[in-house]
Amino acid sequence: MRMLAKIHGVHVPMRMKMDQTILAQQQRFPVPGLKSSFVGLETMLGMDEQIEFEDYLNNPEFSEKQVDIHTEMEKSLKPSIRK
């Protein structure tokens, strides 16, 4: 980070840290069956350049399941029924 600051200016490490913070916070809306993958953060950190076990055989938590998002949202938000 110090080398980046010396070469490009102090704003570059600050910008990189800010980008990492923003990308770490972005998630899907909390619906059961759909997990966040943080692809942007992995790309920024250079973790997308190697093929690992999860990339080839798929991580079980990212398995493709048929999920009815509307039903799951109704379950998770539990809307109150007015009479």
Side-chain angles (χ1 to χ4, degrees), residues 20-28 35-45 47-48 61-62:
Q20 285 180 3
T21 304
I22 291 170
L23 290 171
Q25 292 175 352
Q26 289 195 345
Q27 296 182 359
R28 287 186 177 147
K35 304 234 181 208
S36 296
S37 61
F38 300 107
V39 174
L41 183 62
E42 290 177 359
T43 303
M44 183 176 182
L45 297 176
M47 296 169 58
D48 64 332
E61 69 180 23
F62 295 120

Side-chain angles (χ1 to χ4, degrees), residues 9-70:
V10 178
H11 71 283
V12 174
M14 289 174 28
R15 171 82 188 257
M16 289 177 66
K17 182 65 177 167
M18 183 178 63
D19 289 344
Q20 285 180 3
T21 304
I22 291 170
L23 290 171
Q25 292 175 352
Q26 289 195 345
Q27 296 182 359
R28 287 186 177 147
F29 199 73
V31 176
L34 296 175
K35 304 234 181 208
S36 296
S37 61
F38 300 107
V39 174
L41 183 62
E42 290 177 359
T43 303
M44 183 176 182
L45 297 176
M47 296 169 58
D48 64 332
E49 298 174 358
Q50 296 178 349
I51 297 176
E52 297 181 8
F53 174 81
E54 293 85 12
D55 298 326
Y56 183 72
L57 295 175
N58 203 2
N59 193 343
E61 69 180 23
F62 295 120
S63 65
E64 296 179 13
K65 298 175 186 171
Q66 200 68 10
V67 177
D68 183 20
I69 294 179
H70 298 288

